[in-house]
Amino acid sequence: MRVRLVVTFVLVALLSAVTATALAYRDARTAVLQRTQNTAVNDLRERVATVAAGFDLPPDQRSLSRFAAQVSEGLGARIVVARHQDLTAVSDAYADTEGRITAELRAAVRAGDGARFQRVQWRGEPYLVVGMPVTYADGDRRTSGLEVFAITDLRAERDDTAALLDSVREGTVPVVVAAALLALLAAGTVLRPVRKLGRATRELAAGDLGSRVAVRGHDELADLARTFNETADALQASDAELRAQEAKARRFVADVSHELRTPLAAMTMVATVLEEDADQLPPDAARAARTVGAETARLSRLVEDLMEISRFDAGAVRLNAFEADLADTVRASLALRGWTDRVTAELPEGVRAVVDRRRVDVIVANLVGNALRHGAPPVTVTLTAPGDDHDRVARLEVADHGPGLPPEARERVFDRFYKADEARTRNTSTAGSGGEADGDADREADGQGSGLGMAIALENARLHGGTIEVDERAAGGAVFTLILPLRRTDAEGEGDR
């Protein structure tokens, strides 16, 4: 915008200067020529009247030459040509007058009763030729047949107007420079508040809700700055309110989860006793006892997941990271849950990284448990080492051969409490792969999860600086890929957050 303003100012100034120069040159040239023409006509008329008073007609060549010389002497040595019928006399015998006195001017003088003039170019130089007939002084204005022409050199007038044009043209440069300086000053005055407003807007977009701009004056820019500040104030107040509500919600979830742990522990003990004695109870009572035990276990897992999510939201989670072999870590996780015979594992040795083994175990348990519960066998777990020094990440793929995930489910599979198909929440034997996006280490038995497992898995991956991606297999089924950076350190136990 600064460049556009400066260019506009300069163009306007240049156009104004050129227009003023052209008008000044035209007016000055017209005035100079008009004054010269009037002077030449008046001088010739007066001088001819003076000399013709003692001149006898018809003249001979000598008297006509004397007449031309006398008229020329009174006109400041201008070239004078006198003509009477076939006689012609020139005040300067060496002057070429044929090219300067045109036939049109001669015809006009011969036909008229007053002075006539014409500007001509002769050999590239300007001249003014004034002609007039000599009349008798008897009051009848009869022409005597004597014609007089005076040739005036206009080179001095041309040089004067050219000098004026040069001076005006030289003055154009300072005008353009001054216009550019004024344009820069105006651009700075206008654009400085705009730049400050743009900087404040970028800061606001980056998360600095305290960014404001100073309001100066009462023009449109001041109104814009005032509106920006009011908008930022409203946004900051709204953000503060949302943060406060979010903090209250997190505290509420954490408090409720914490308060539920004690009664749930008691309920779990009672449910365990009932399940142990279920075989001695009537069929209906036994079924109810087992249902109470399963639901109590599920509620306990939900409370634990809620507490874990609340810790992630509060930023209170820390890694207990050590350098470990990822293949051993994954193998231990599968063996702990008895999945070794149900999962095909390709786990090459030597892929080492700094990880929190407990949290990697949670990730593997969620991904593999989800595949076993909602996919179709075989379920494969494949660990891929980095291919070169530029690819310093390890990839753990968990794939099944189920119907796969529709695109809308893949986009939301890591959302909290998301279920791809609510109708399948109680019928896991017919559910598609990833249909209920959860899973945990101990959920395989009953097929029901809290709906937070995949969200917790993703948070744990991000805690390691990695992520989890989901895609479709070409042959059918879903593929979840855990991507972990291969970081190493000698200071074991340092966390990332």
Side-chain angles (χ1 to χ4, degrees), residues 86-296:
D86 296 335
L87 298 178
T88 301
V90 182
S91 61
D92 185 354
Y94 298 100
D96 183 3
T97 61
E98 291 299 325
R100 284 180 272 190
I101 303 176
T102 64
E104 292 82 3
L105 181 60
R106 290 196 188 99
V109 171
R110 188 177 300 114
D113 57 354
R116 298 286 186 273
F117 62 86
Q118 185 180 36
R119 289 194 298 272
V120 298
Q121 289 283 335
W122 184 70
R123 295 181 180 176
E125 301 295 341
Y127 293 92
L128 174 66
V129 182
V130 180
M132 59 178 297
V134 177
T135 59
Y136 290 104
D138 54 6
D140 293 338
R141 305 297 295 173
R142 294 179 297 112
T143 58
S144 62
L146 179 61
E147 301 168 358
V148 182
F149 299 89
I151 302 174
T152 303
D153 191 347
L154 294 181
R155 283 179 290 183
E157 286 75 9
R158 181 198 60 188
D159 294 341
D160 290 342
T161 55
L164 177 62
L165 180 62
D166 291 339
S167 63
V168 175
R169 187 182 295 127
E170 291 173 358
T172 302
V173 176
V175 169
V176 172
V177 173
L181 294 176
L182 290 176
L184 289 174
L185 179 61
T189 303
V190 174
L191 296 181
R192 191 177 298 111
V194 175
R195 285 197 301 270
K196 291 181 179 179
L197 184 61
R199 184 166 54 251
T201 303
R202 289 190 295 272
E203 292 173 354
L204 191 66
D208 182 8
L209 300 183
S211 178
R212 300 292 186 274
V213 292
V215 180
R216 294 185 177 89
H218 302 281
D219 55 6
E220 289 79 1
L221 290 175
D223 292 340
L224 181 60
R226 195 175 296 108
T227 302
F228 173 82
N229 289 341
E230 293 172 355
T231 303
D233 290 339
L235 183 60
Q236 188 174 30
S238 183
D239 178 75
E241 182 179 356
L242 289 175
R243 288 179 183 274
Q245 292 177 356
E246 184 180 2
K248 290 179 181 179
R250 285 199 301 265
R251 285 196 302 270
F252 176 78
V253 172
D255 293 343
V256 169
S257 301
H258 181 75
E259 293 299 326
L260 285 175
R261 296 183 74 177
T262 300
L264 277 175
M267 292 173 60
T268 301
M269 288 189 296
V270 173
T272 301
V273 172
L274 290 175
E275 284 187 296
E276 290 177 353
D277 298 335
D279 294 338
Q280 303 174 9
L281 298 175
D284 292 342
R287 186 163 50 254
R290 293 189 181 94
T291 301
V292 168
E295 292 301 323
T296 301

Side-chain angles (χ1 to χ4, degrees), residues 2-3 5 60 97 108 112 129 155 166-167 198 201 209 215 253 268 326 335 338 352 355 362 372 381 432 472 480:
R2 179 190 296 272
V3 175
L5 283 175
D60 54 16
T97 61
V129 182
R155 283 179 290 183
D166 291 339
S167 63
T201 303
L209 300 183
V215 180
V253 172
T268 301
L326 291 180
R352 304 184 65 82
V355 295
V362 171
L372 290 172
V381 178
E472 288 286 300
F480 288 84

Side-chain angles (χ1 to χ4, degrees), residues 4-20 172 175-176 179-180 183:
R4 291 198 296 269
L5 283 175
V6 172
V7 170
T8 300
F9 267 74
V10 170
L11 288 178
V12 170
L14 185 61
L15 181 61
S16 301
V18 170
T19 302
T172 302
V175 169
V176 172

Side-chain angles (χ1 to χ4, degrees), residues 9 59 142 171 186 210-211 243-244 288 291 322 367 386 401 405 414 419 449 452 496:
F9 267 74
R142 294 179 297 112
S211 178
R243 288 179 183 274
T291 301
F322 295 87
L367 295 181
H401 290 70
L405 284 168
F414 296 105
K419 300 180 187 296
L452 296 172
D496 291 349

Side-chain angles (χ1 to χ4, degrees), residues 232-401:
D233 290 339
L235 183 60
Q236 188 174 30
S238 183
D239 178 75
E241 182 179 356
L242 289 175
R243 288 179 183 274
Q245 292 177 356
E246 184 180 2
K248 290 179 181 179
R250 285 199 301 265
R251 285 196 302 270
F252 176 78
V253 172
D255 293 343
V256 169
S257 301
H258 181 75
E259 293 299 326
L260 285 175
R261 296 183 74 177
T262 300
L264 277 175
M267 292 173 60
T268 301
M269 288 189 296
V270 173
T272 301
V273 172
L274 290 175
E275 284 187 296
E276 290 177 353
D277 298 335
D279 294 338
Q280 303 174 9
L281 298 175
D284 292 342
R287 186 163 50 254
R290 293 189 181 94
T291 301
V292 168
E295 292 301 323
T296 301
R298 183 170 181 266
L299 183 58
S300 297
R301 289 193 295 270
L302 175 59
V303 169
E304 293 296 331
D305 285 350
L306 286 173
M307 295 187 66
E308 183 73 359
I309 283 292
S310 66
R311 284 193 290 270
F312 277 113
D313 291 342
V317 179
R318 295 292 183 269
L319 283 178
N320 186 22
F322 295 87
E323 185 173 324
D325 189 294
L326 291 180
D328 292 341
T329 303
V330 175
R331 250 187 238 107
S333 180
L334 296 177
L336 179 64
R337 291 159 181 84
W339 291 341
T340 305
D341 297 335
R342 303 177 57 187
V343 174
T344 302
E346 298 179 8
L347 305 172
E349 303 291 341
V351 182
R352 304 184 65 82
V354 178
V355 295
D356 186 330
R357 293 190 60 161
R358 184 183 71 84
R359 296 191 178 278
V360 172
D361 175 75
V362 171
I363 298 173
V364 173
N366 276 283
L367 295 181
V368 176
N370 192 72
L372 290 172
R373 191 164 49 253
H374 302 296
V379 174
T380 60
V381 178
T382 306
L383 178 62
T384 305
D388 51 47
D389 293 338
H390 299 289
D391 183 21
R392 298 300 299 164
V393 296
R395 290 174 170 82
L396 182 69
E397 292 185 356
V398 178
D400 62 67
H401 290 70

